[in-house]
DNA sequence: TTGTAAGCGTTATCAA
DNA sequence: TTGATAACGCTTACAA
């Protein structure tokens, strides 16, 4: 008695013509075609619970070898159109889906780029993801995204997972907690392409994609000064991040250039969070001699400040100028509109992705500029435009 | 001469004590420890370009077998603490990173959930992703996200890629183009858990996570009516999507309940896109006898309408009431604030993720309610609140 | 043009 | 408590 190699059924086997001079059978139960080239192939493969059809199934059913099937499937040359068609037909018939896992294992590449971002509650990182995603998809790569949630331990475990999954390259933007970079150096040591973006650091020799935070901040503060604000506070980010330091530097440079003295109690550096923004914002607005303008490290903080000013009845922009950074979607609409520095988020994603692909495709260690700096843009809205200026 | 099994170097091999009565060596060049249990293991493994250390490397260096290493690494019982420690030490020394690919292949599961969303330009899907991501991470699963960009062919190729990568389960929200569901039925046939969310359809027997679009819309329109609006237009979505149909149904039901006649030229169904919103918005606002309120299928469209009204000098809410759907972040801030229906995005993600995990973990085909309906919430803001009401 | 067989890095089933 | 050895599904020399 012949049993179906796929579903083990014995009662429903029928003859189904000849292939390459061998009797072909079909199992009416599971619609599986096969030949019996060799008696011990009659026994079904074990562990067949939810068996997905493999190359071997196709090989058996068509009466050719695995390698021939593989070649046919990949449109290799040196294969007779006749057998190729037979294989392709059978593949369709058996509803064959290649097993990427096995492919990846033997090729030891996955065609997948990993991306780790600290958060995606703001639209900032999602927009970067969109950019990277577009470019990678076009290039035939998959993108696996992980989120570190601004936590260093999670970031470390994320990189471990990426490593374990043998991604071909990694795009990463660091958490605000990250001060140790050993988990990134592993990538260097392994020769796995790595690109840092936005939240970068100096201590790892990987390419970095950033924006001109210094200039952006300089322009922002200069704009406030040119609108007649004198005592400008800065609500900054955590200083272990280069972005925070650069934006602080831009602030100081602008103040200095225009001969404004900086009151150090009005320069605050802190973690990114809505709660922190409220605390620092309250502090600044409650100062006995409160600033007449605030340059915030990002739009979320700036918006918190605007809302608090509203509550307190402080008029914007007359009594208080506010400028943010990043141009969140809500910034255009809040109150008189929030003046801000627009970041080319899509381009950040695209640039980073392109770079990591270049690193992958270039066999040699490339000698490359280690940093790409994209341009920001000052977007002037109502929160900083005084009528009398 | 002994050559290093890892880097093939011959000049830098030194003796390094004894392990299990075998001479141990170390390659000073690549810091690789090994023993020579068997003469033909002297030859380095070929294809060693960028060789990542494997279980076999550890086995050789420690002088035990693969299986023992595997067991030690997984903290199996039945292993002497002595050898376990030796293995673990060596693993750390050689900087071993497990190869998830191989693991997945033999286990034929990936611990990865796939997620396909039509877009993430709005904050809507990112927020759902956040919810799903949180729950999945906690459960020890990875999340692979793909974006169909509202394109049916891309959606199909995405599902193929997911299948090829042997994800353990899929969460999907359909594109506005999708009218054929064969690519989803494959999952059914293969027994791969599938959960539809938000953009669902009736033609595939998979669990669905949706919100009460009907009630939400009903409340939105009722709210407009109770604020004295009479001639309410509806700017709807593509009708092949259940959400669009449900929201339309809610609109009609509310109008009917309050005895308002619907002017059919003021009910428009169209694709989601900013451009379309502008075109339809212009049409509605330019009508000779224009509506006194518009209920839009989503906030993006509603916002476009508000902006156009602003341009045309139509006062909101006095001359025109506007209500959207979803509560985008910018909706709170635009003009007098956009009244909208808030969707529990985080919960949508979490619920879908939880469901797919349940399906994975339950061996049996579960008998389950086929749909979960989450609650929406009316958020009243200035765009619909008439002073005289 | 096709087949054979080794190898990718694991886990799992037997024996020892 | 350990070690061989056979899978997992695929690609690819090398042989025929």
């Amino acid at each position: 008695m012949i049993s179906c190699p796929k579903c083990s059924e014995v009662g429903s086997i029928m003859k189904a013509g000849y292939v390459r001079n061998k009797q072909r059978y079909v199992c009416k139960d599971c619609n599986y075609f096969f030949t019996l080239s060799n008696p011990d192939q009659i026994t079904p493969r074990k562990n067949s619970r939810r068996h997905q059809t493999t190359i071997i199934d196709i090989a058996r059913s068509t009466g050719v070898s695995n390698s021939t099937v593989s070649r046919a499937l990949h449109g290799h040359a040196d294969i007779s159109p006749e057998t190729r068609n037979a294989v392709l037909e059978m593949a369709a018939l058996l509803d064959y889906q290649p097993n990427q896992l096995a492919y990846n294992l033997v090729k030891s590449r996955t065609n997948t780029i990993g991306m780790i971002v600290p958060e995606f509650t703001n639209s900032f990182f999602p927009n970067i993801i969109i950019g990277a995603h577009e470019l990678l998809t076009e290039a035939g790569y998959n993108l696996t995204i992980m989120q570190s949630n601004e936590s260093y331990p999670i970031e470390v475990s994320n990189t471990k997972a990426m490593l374990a999954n043998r991604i071909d390259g990694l795009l990463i933007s660091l958490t605000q907690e990250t001060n140790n970079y050993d988990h990134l150096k592993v990538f260097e040591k392994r020769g796995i392409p790595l690109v840092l973006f936005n939240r970068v650091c100096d201590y790892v020799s990987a390419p970095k994609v950033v924006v001109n935070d210094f200039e952006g901040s300089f322009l922002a503060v200069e704009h406030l000064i040119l609108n007649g604000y004198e005592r400008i506070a800065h609500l900054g980010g955590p200083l272990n991040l280069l972005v925070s330091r650069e934006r602080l530097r831009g602030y100081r440079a602008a103040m200095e250039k225009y001969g404004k003295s900086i009151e150090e109690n009005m320069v605050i550096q802190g973690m990114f969070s809505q709660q922190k923004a409220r605390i620092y914002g309250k502090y600044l607005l409650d100062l006995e001699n409160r600033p007449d303008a605030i340059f915030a490290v990002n739009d979320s903080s700036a918006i918190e400040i605007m809302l608090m000013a509203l509550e307190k009845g402080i008029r914007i922009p007359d009594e208080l100028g506010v400028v943010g950074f990043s141009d969140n979607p809500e910034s255009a609409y809040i109150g008189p509109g929030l003046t801000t520095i627009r970041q080319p988020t899509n381009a950040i994603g695209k640039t980073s992705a392109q770079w990591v692909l270049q690193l992958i495709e270039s066999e040699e260690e490339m000698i490359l500029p280690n940093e790409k700096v994209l341009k920001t843009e000052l977007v002037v809205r109502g929160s900083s435009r005084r009528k009398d200026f």
Side-chain angles (χ1 to χ4, degrees), chain A:
Chain A
M1 209 62 193
I2 303 169
S3 74
C4 170
K6 193 169 175 203
C7 71
S8 317
E9 201 61 53
V10 284
S12 44
I13 306 299
M14 299 186 61
K15 296 194 177 186
Y18 286 86
V19 173
R20 334 190 110 250
N21 293 328
K22 288 177 193 161
Q23 176 67 55
R24 186 162 79 150
Y25 300 90
V26 59
C27 168
K28 296 305 284 181
D29 209 52
C30 67
N31 202 33
Y32 186 74
F33 287 80
F34 59 99
T35 55
L36 300 179
S37 47
N38 176 329
D40 55 19
Q41 281 178 10
I42 297 182
T43 46
R45 310 172 71 195
K46 66 176 178 176
N47 216 1
S48 66
R49 196 181 72 89
R50 265 180 200 168
H51 172 69
Q52 321 237 114
T53 72
T54 72
I55 276 191
I56 300 182
D57 295 323
I58 302 178
R60 286 185 188 166
S61 316
T62 326
V64 299
S65 77
N66 311 347
S67 29
T68 304
V69 173
S70 174
R71 283 188 280 252
L73 253 25
H74 291 313
H76 249 251
D78 289 352
I79 185 163
S80 81
E82 185 187 345
T83 53
R84 210 234 318 282
N85 288 340
V87 167
L88 259 35
E89 233 169 77
M90 186 54 69
L93 202 62
L94 299 185
D95 194 19
Y96 169 76
Q97 292 287 348
N99 187 329
Q100 193 71 30
L101 262 40
Y103 179 91
N104 291 343
L105 182 60
V106 53
K107 289 288 204 178
S108 71
R109 72 196 308 261
T110 53
N111 259 275
T112 299
I113 300 298
M115 184 162 188
I116 302 178
V117 296
E119 48 101 354
F120 30 62
T121 49
N122 285 302
S123 65
F124 182 71
F125 287 108
N127 281 329
I128 293 180
I129 294 175
I130 292 173
H133 188 268
E134 267 176 42
L135 195 131
L136 290 174
T137 305
E138 225 166 88
Y141 280 79
N142 288 129
L143 176 63
T144 291
I145 300 159
M146 292 191 178
Q147 187 225 21
S148 56
N149 204 21
E150 298 283 15
S151 146
Y152 168 69
I154 296 184
E155 181 175 288
V156 172
S157 91
N158 281 348
T159 54
K160 280 239 169 70
M162 292 289 188
L163 237 31
N165 281 297
R166 297 296 192 270
I167 50 158
D168 292 344
L170 180 66
L171 307 175
I172 188 170
S173 195
L174 303 175
T175 78
Q176 53 182 325
E177 289 180 3
T178 304
N179 280 312
N180 180 313
Y181 308 101
D182 290 343
H183 57 306
L184 299 182
K185 290 184 180 148
V186 178
F187 286 81
E188 257 183 271
K189 217 188 317 184
R190 295 255 151 99
I192 301 170
L194 172 69
V195 173
L196 294 160
F197 65 94
N198 181 254
R199 307 265 200 91
V200 308
C201 72
D202 292 328
Y203 307 100
V204 43
S205 70
K208 300 163 186 46
V209 175
V210 292
V211 299
N212 55 352
D213 288 294
F214 172 79
E215 279 173 64
S217 299
F218 185 95
L219 284 179
V221 176
E222 181 176 56
H223 162 78
L224 281 170
I225 294 171
L226 295 180
N227 270 266
Y229 296 100
E230 294 276 342
R231 303 181 49 257
I232 303 172
H234 178 47
L235 179 43
L239 281 181
N240 54 325
L241 295 179
L242 197 62
V243 275
S244 307
R245 295 202 299 274
E246 285 295 290
R247 290 179 197 174
L248 173 62
R249 206 162 63 83
Y251 161 77
R252 289 192 184 280
M255 293 293 273
E256 190 167 342
K257 175 172 174 194
Y258 287 91
K260 307 291 174 194
S261 71
I262 294 175
E263 300 169 47
E264 291 299 337
N265 64 334
M266 295 192 337
V267 179
I268 303 177
Q269 307 293 145
M271 290 293 181
F272 300 132
S273 85
Q274 200 184 23
Q275 191 202 12
K276 285 290 164 59
R278 288 201 81 82
I279 293 173
Y280 300 141
K282 183 171 163 44
Y283 161 80
L284 285 173
L285 295 184
D286 283 354
L287 275 179
E288 202 152 333
N289 200 359
R290 72 157 189 257
D292 61 358
I294 300 179
F295 166 53
V297 70
N298 60 25
D299 277 13
S300 320
S301 306
I303 286 174
E304 285 305 321
I305 287 171
M306 287 179 80
L307 293 176
M308 291 176 67
L310 196 71
E311 282 168 24
K312 288 179 184 293
I314 301 171
R315 280 173 299 126
I316 292 174
D318 299 330
E319 297 179 273
L320 183 74
V322 181
V323 176
F325 207 109
S326 287
D327 197 20
N328 289 4
E330 60 268 34
S331 303
Y333 303 124
I334 186 163
L338 171 63
T339 296
T340 187
I341 305 293
R342 179 175 298 152
Q343 299 203 53
T345 45
N346 196 281
I348 295 174
K350 279 209 164 62
T351 308
S352 310
Q354 196 159 36
W355 207 339
V356 86
L357 292 188
Q358 277 173 11
L359 290 173
I360 290 172
E361 256 125 60
S362 73
E363 288 291 313
E364 313 285 313
E365 304 291 308
M366 280 169 54
I367 300 107
L368 25 72
N370 206 15
E371 191 173 71
K372 259 171 206 163
V373 181
L374 304 179
K375 285 231 177 319
T376 56
E377 181 191 352
L378 175 66
V379 180
V380 177
R381 299 202 182 96
S383 69
S384 63
R385 200 166 31 202
R386 277 185 170 170
K387 290 184 199 77
D388 49 347
F389 266 84

